[in-house]
Amino acid sequence: MRQRNFFRWTASGMLCAGAAFLLGCANTLERYADETALTIQQPAAQTQALDIPKRFFDELLAPKWQHNGIGIINDQATFLKMWDLYTIERTALPPSIDFDTYALLFVYDPVYYNLVSIRGLNVWRGIANPIVERTNWTLSIEGDKKMREIRQKEGQTLPEPKVNVAFLQIPRNRPGKPGVTAVLVEGHQQPEESLVIPVPAGE
């Protein structure tokens, strides 16, 4: 049961929130904001972090869905590509995700290996700003350089570079069901640098 729900974000007990955290870039993000979409501040529930081979983000996930370690997985086929990489070294069935209703938000550190978690979600008129917590390590994503040299000399298989990725299902905006229209990925304190990843509407 837990595996089935471990990317799930629930909207029960949601609180309406002020838009102060995004007012500075409202003009920049105007085309993505929708007065009928979701506006909340809420802790994230039932989130999960997994170690995922970084080549999924470098080679298999289209650039339009990600920027600098944050983005969304938009469909089941792409999700299963990621899951296949995750399960190369383990056996686990993929969780059930309704991609018609939800998109899968992800966050990771693209520079170093750090543990990441999504602690909450602020959404203003559909524009989501995740609250992210991470460790402050400076560990190489490729692993310890000396150990890699030793393994290479001994002819051992080198471990694949991985990143710790936090996941959270976010509801798509759809008729009669307020949801997320876009994810804010950088520059929310500097409007001219703001960048969002649009979340396609649900059915």
Side-chain angles (χ1 to χ4, degrees):
M1 285 295 290
R2 184 179 179 186
Q3 185 181 42
R4 181 177 298 174
N5 295 321
F6 71 21
F7 292 141
R8 188 65 179 268
W9 173 74
T10 58
S12 59
M14 65 178 60
L15 301 174
C16 289
F21 74 99
L22 274 176
L23 280 177
C25 52
N27 290 333
T28 304
L29 305 180
E30 186 176 6
R31 60 179 291 194
Y32 302 103
D34 182 345
E35 290 188 5
T36 65
L38 200 62
T39 294
I40 63 160
Q41 276 184 325
Q42 181 166 316
Q46 298 177 334
T47 64
Q48 181 77 13
L50 305 173
D51 280 356
I52 304 296
K54 192 168 183 299
R55 67 183 168 100
F56 169 74
F57 303 100
D58 294 341
E59 301 174 12
L60 300 180
L61 183 63
K64 69 178 180 179
W65 300 124
Q66 59 179 321
H67 179 78
N68 199 31
I70 187 169
I72 64 169
I73 295 176
N74 188 54
D75 60 83
Q76 182 74 14
T78 304
F79 173 73
L80 291 178
K81 290 178 183 178
M82 184 208 75
W83 195 260
D84 286 344
L85 289 180
Y86 168 68
T87 55
I88 286 176
E89 299 175 357
R90 57 186 58 79
T91 300
L93 295 175
S96 176
I97 300 174
D98 178 5
F99 278 99
D100 290 332
T101 306
Y102 295 92
L104 189 60
L105 171 68
F106 65 81
V107 181
Y108 69 93
D109 186 336
V111 179
Y112 298 109
Y113 181 88
N114 275 294
L115 301 181
V116 181
S117 62
I118 300 172
R119 308 302 294 176
L121 199 65
N122 290 335
V123 188
W124 176 73
R125 294 184 179 180
I127 301 170
N129 185 18
I131 302 168
V132 179
E133 188 176 273
R134 69 184 68 191
T135 54
N136 194 29
W137 301 337
T138 55
L139 302 175
S140 170
I141 292 173
E142 287 75 24
D144 184 78
K145 183 178 179 181
K146 190 65 178 177
M147 287 302 300
R148 290 182 70 87
E149 290 176 355
I150 292 173
R151 289 186 177 187
Q152 196 166 24
K153 288 180 180 178
E154 294 179 351
Q156 298 181 24
T157 302
L158 296 179
E160 186 166 17
K162 295 180 181 179
V163 288
N164 188 253
V165 187
F167 295 96
L168 181 65
Q169 284 190 56
I170 54 175
R172 300 180 190 272
N173 198 43
R174 52 194 178 126
K177 296 287 186 179
V180 175
T181 59
V183 175
L184 183 67
V185 297
E186 70 169 18
H188 64 276
Q189 300 300 329
Q190 301 178 12
E192 68 277 6
E193 296 181 5
S194 295
L195 176 65
V196 300
I197 294 174
V199 178
E203 299 178 357

